[in-house]
Amino acid sequence: MSETTQPTTDQPLETTSGETTEAVQDEWRNHSFDGATKLAVEDLDVHYGEEHALKNISIDIPEQSVTALIGPSGCGKSTFLRCLNRMNDRIKAAKIDGSVELDGEELYQDGVNLVELRKRVGMVFQQPNPFPKSIRDNVSYGPRKHGDLDTSLFSRLLGRSDEAAENELVERALRQAALWEEVSGRLDDNALGLSGGQQQRLCIARTLATDPEVILMDEPASALDPIATAKIEDLIDELSEQYTVVIVTHNMQQAARISDQTAVFLTGGELVEYGDTDQIFENPESQRVEDYISGKFG
């Protein structure tokens, strides 16, 4: 552990109760890894009106891995996550500067098809949000919307229906989400009748059905009981073999269990440290990060 470094600026750093002041060192955030970069973020700033929600964030996220975003409430984790598929575009007060690249393609350039982007970079939210439709229709909704499936009455009358393809897709996505064995006999039942943990896995299946490359998860297990949480964590581990997963979590034990690398955001929308998860939790460079992980504030 390095000694606390005093700020080199006359401006006081924003801190939360119990948090020390400390100047962030660039080397604490320069994480090197084997393999390819899936998402590259450089000099990202986000303002909500007068509020500076994220400050000069630069981070590379490797493909086919799990990256955990941790930090106290209000530090910008979810704001950062939403920048990765431009969900913040829906907030009128949001102003985003900087660069986010997906496989080298700039996401904030003019002309980006946001529907296609959110197909490639799917999102799973904190609260399960299944549609009030059948389990089958929940899973096939995205491919139908994107035009990848046509099961309309007109197509069926012409003998061109994609029903067989739909059945295969629904089974594949539900198997990937570790839900098939539990619901295969009741695909036409309303999804709202599932348990909370099953609903969240259904939402993951709905995301997988559009064949994404990246899966963003905003505290996906925070509303679930321990057994359902364990199933979600096992699922995330399996998904990382094929997909790039970025997860926001307030559960530091969860981050330590499931992630390959961890990024620590602290007060004022600042990325303080980023590195291998074991190193972050066992030997962080930043005193503020150690204090946060050890429960001295947050």
Side-chain angles (χ1 to χ4, degrees):
M1 168 60 59
S2 60
E3 295 182 359
T4 301
T5 305
Q6 292 302 314
T8 57
T9 174
D10 293 332
Q11 295 296 321
L13 295 178
E14 296 179 76
T15 60
T16 193
S17 177
E19 184 179 355
T20 62
T21 58
E22 177 188 54
V24 177
Q25 307 298 313
D26 287 341
E27 57 265 29
W28 298 348
R29 303 177 291 194
N30 293 334
H31 173 48
S32 59
F33 48 82
D34 297 329
T37 296
K38 189 65 177 179
L39 289 156
V41 180
E42 186 172 357
D43 299 330
L44 182 68
D45 279 88
V46 178
H47 290 81
Y48 295 128
E50 297 298 318
E51 178 190 355
H52 200 170
L54 286 177
K55 297 177 181 176
N56 196 34
I57 307 297
S58 295
I59 183 174
D60 289 344
I61 296 174
E63 67 178 2
Q64 293 181 339
S65 67
V66 180
T67 301
L69 311 178
I70 66 172
S73 296
C75 67
K77 306 181 300 296
S78 294
T79 291
F80 175 78
L81 193 74
R82 292 194 299 267
C83 286
L84 301 181
N85 68 350
R86 293 187 53 171
M87 290 288 286
N88 286 319
D89 287 19
R90 299 180 176 183
I91 303 173
K92 290 184 179 180
K95 180 178 182 294
I96 296 109
D97 296 300
S99 171
V100 179
E101 292 183 351
L102 174 63
D103 289 336
E105 178 185 351
E106 176 58 56
L107 302 186
Y108 281 87
Q109 63 184 325
D110 292 339
V112 171
N113 185 322
L114 296 184
V115 173
E116 286 301 313
L117 170 60
R118 291 165 190 158
K119 181 180 177 182
R120 295 177 66 190
V121 185
M123 175 79 84
V124 178
F125 297 94
Q126 180 176 1
Q127 294 288 341
N129 59 343
F131 303 136
K133 300 174 179 287
S134 70
I135 295 169
R136 184 194 310 276
D137 287 344
N138 265 269
V139 177
S140 61
Y141 175 82
R144 287 181 182 179
K145 182 177 180 181
H146 290 292
D148 299 329
L149 286 176
D150 185 357
T151 57
S152 65
L153 175 61
F154 185 68
S155 294
R156 291 198 297 272
L157 291 173
L158 293 178
R160 300 173 185 169
S161 174
D162 290 335
E163 283 187 277
E166 179 188 36
N167 290 337
E168 291 176 7
L169 180 146
V170 168
E171 180 175 349
R172 173 183 62 80
L174 289 171
R175 285 190 182 278
Q176 283 184 294
L179 190 57
W180 174 255
E181 299 299 331
E182 298 170 40
V183 303
S184 60
R186 48 183 178 135
L187 296 179
D188 294 320
D189 289 0
N190 194 307
L192 298 180
L194 297 174
S195 69
Q198 289 174 326
Q199 287 186 13
Q200 190 64 297
R201 280 181 285 148
L202 177 63
C203 292
I204 293 171
R206 192 171 66 196
T207 298
L208 293 171
T210 62
D211 199 21
E213 301 166 38
V214 180
I215 303 173
L216 310 178
M217 296 185 168
D218 195 353
E219 298 189 67
S222 64
L224 305 180
D225 61 48
I227 294 175
T229 295
K231 290 183 178 181
I232 294 293
E233 291 182 4
D234 289 343
L235 175 57
I236 290 170
D237 183 59
E238 293 176 13
L239 291 175
S240 67
E241 296 179 6
Q242 295 180 254
Y243 305 94
T244 300
V245 180
V246 186
I247 178 171
V248 168
T249 178
H250 277 288
N251 185 330
M252 285 184 282
Q253 291 77 20
Q254 182 177 80
R257 286 193 297 267
I258 68 172
S259 67
D260 300 291
Q261 52 276 328
T262 296
V264 187
F265 290 75
L266 293 180
T267 310
E270 188 175 35
L271 174 62
V272 175
E273 193 165 347
Y274 175 49
D276 287 333
T277 293
D278 289 345
Q279 179 264 313
I280 292 292
F281 281 93
E282 296 172 9
N283 189 32
E285 297 285 349
S286 164
Q287 184 65 49
R288 292 164 69 201
V289 170
E290 181 169 278
D291 289 347
Y292 173 69
I293 288 173
S294 64
K296 291 183 179 179
F297 73 92

